[in-house]
Amino acid sequence: MMDYWQNFWTALTLDGGYNSVVVMAGLAALGAAAGPIGALMILKRRPLLADAVAHATLPGVAIGFLVGLWLTGDGRNSAFLLTGAAVTGALAAGAMHLLKDGARISEDAATAAALSVSFGLGVALLSLIQALPTGGQAGLNAFLLGQAATLNQSEAWTLAIASSLALILLGLLFKEFALIAFDPGGAAAQGLPVKFLDLMITGLMLLLIAAGLRAVGLVLILALLVTPAAAARFWTDRLPRLAALAAVIGAAGAYTGGALSTALPNAPTGAAIVLILSAIFLFSLLFAPKRGAIAAVLRRQGLRHALRRRQILVELAAGARPADPKLARSLGWIDGDGSSTPEGEAAAQAWLRDEQLRDRYLADRPEDAGRLLAAAFTPLNDLLPRDIIAELERREA
């Protein structure tokens, strides 16, 4: 066990040698680029497109193996394998666009058709390869679940350069990509080439998928594209921050997962990265201050308590006994026999005044109704400037 921890720490601190440093840097760059591209795919409601394209690379890997075996005698030549993966992935992406736009079928149906056909063809070709009287077939398993520890120096550099290129292009065109994701009609009205930019996003996604096949695997690379953006969504509502945070989460998850996979030789890199990203997602789901589950429970409890307090104030203002005497007594608004205290009367009068001023303000400015209703339990003094409050009080006097 100590050896595993030592290996993990060695990989994490980049003390494992030059090749290990390049692999870890490439994984971090892959995660950093995958996070914001995944955010754009989610905004465009196309996360399954990445899954379909990833599975469509399987027949390309198999064809690349066969071509490399025929031309060079070595089916595991990375150039042939990655080229084949990129070609079939691009063909699948193009087929999905043609089916959606030309045949006018739904995008989900086009995605399902491309995924099932391409993955079925890939499985058939892999079965054929396994029956060939040659070696090297076992190395293809790394393309399914990923194995960063088996990357050589050239493959590691390819991963790092491709991921960095995708990240640079994403940074240069991020505003345009965001606009077509949010409002393609408005982008077209501004003269932007919407279809070309849409294809560029798909191309960047394909570049990352092809580059990361050996490291992450085609089965699990979807998680690297989607999970960082999904986790970042719990922490922010603004797209630039969402993309930046998704890049940080993706880089951290890929880097840490790669180190874990290096420390555990039998652990696929894709699975290790997914476990790290899933842990980050779970933490965000639970503890994010605005959208997290715990914060949501606390808000609901706070709203229930505020509603009960308001009901007591309504009853005290009407001269009635509160229906929840225990809470009213704990607030000091009624005494032991159920009669209102001076504090309770003062709180009821303050609430009644607040409601009267709120009604007067909404009568003058009905366009603010949504904002005030959303803050129904917030005192008006905390919502409006003092001069407006003073004017409302003058008119109510």
Side-chain angles (χ1 to χ4, degrees), residues 362-377:
L362 289 177
D364 295 339
R365 301 184 184 182
E367 67 274 8
D368 280 356
R371 181 169 68 94
L372 263 64
L373 288 175
F377 299 116

Side-chain angles (χ1 to χ4, degrees), residues 198-391:
D198 191 20
L199 288 175
M200 278 198 68
I201 296 176
T202 303
L204 290 177
M205 178 195 68
L206 176 60
L207 175 63
L208 292 182
I209 290 174
L213 279 179
R214 279 293 300 273
V216 181
L218 63 88
V219 175
L220 297 173
I221 199 166
L222 175 66
L224 185 59
L225 286 163
V226 174
T227 309
R233 185 67 181 88
F234 286 104
W235 298 92
T236 181
D237 296 326
R238 298 180 62 84
L239 181 57
R241 295 177 183 174
L242 172 65
L245 185 55
V248 172
I249 293 174
Y255 183 86
T256 309
L260 182 62
S261 174
T262 302
L264 303 173
N266 294 325
T269 306
I273 291 174
V274 168
L275 286 175
I276 298 297
L277 291 177
S278 298
I280 297 174
F281 176 83
L282 181 61
F283 179 85
S284 303
L285 173 66
L286 292 176
F287 299 107
K290 290 185 178 180
R291 295 178 175 270
I294 294 176
V297 171
L298 294 177
R299 279 197 303 272
R300 283 196 294 269
Q301 291 178 346
L303 286 174
R304 292 194 194 100
H305 185 71
L307 185 60
R308 291 167 60 194
R309 285 166 53 97
R310 180 170 182 171
Q311 182 60 34
I312 293 172
L313 292 173
V314 171
E315 293 164 343
L316 291 177
R321 288 180 177 270
D324 189 351
K326 183 177 180 180
L327 177 59
R329 194 173 294 112
S330 68
L331 294 170
W333 290 349
I334 62 173
D335 54 23
D337 60 1
S339 301
S340 60
T341 62
E343 291 81 5
E345 293 178 357
Q349 291 302 315
W351 169 81
L352 187 60
R353 166 191 166 276
D354 193 275
E355 289 297 302
Q356 291 170 347
L357 295 181
R358 191 183 298 261
D359 292 341
R360 167 59 65 183
Y361 179 79
L362 289 177
D364 295 339
R365 301 184 184 182
E367 67 274 8
D368 280 356
R371 181 169 68 94
L372 263 64
L373 288 175
F377 299 116
T378 304
L380 203 61
N381 289 332
D382 296 335
L383 297 174
L384 300 178
R386 291 184 179 181
D387 57 337
I388 294 180
I389 296 291
E391 176 63 20

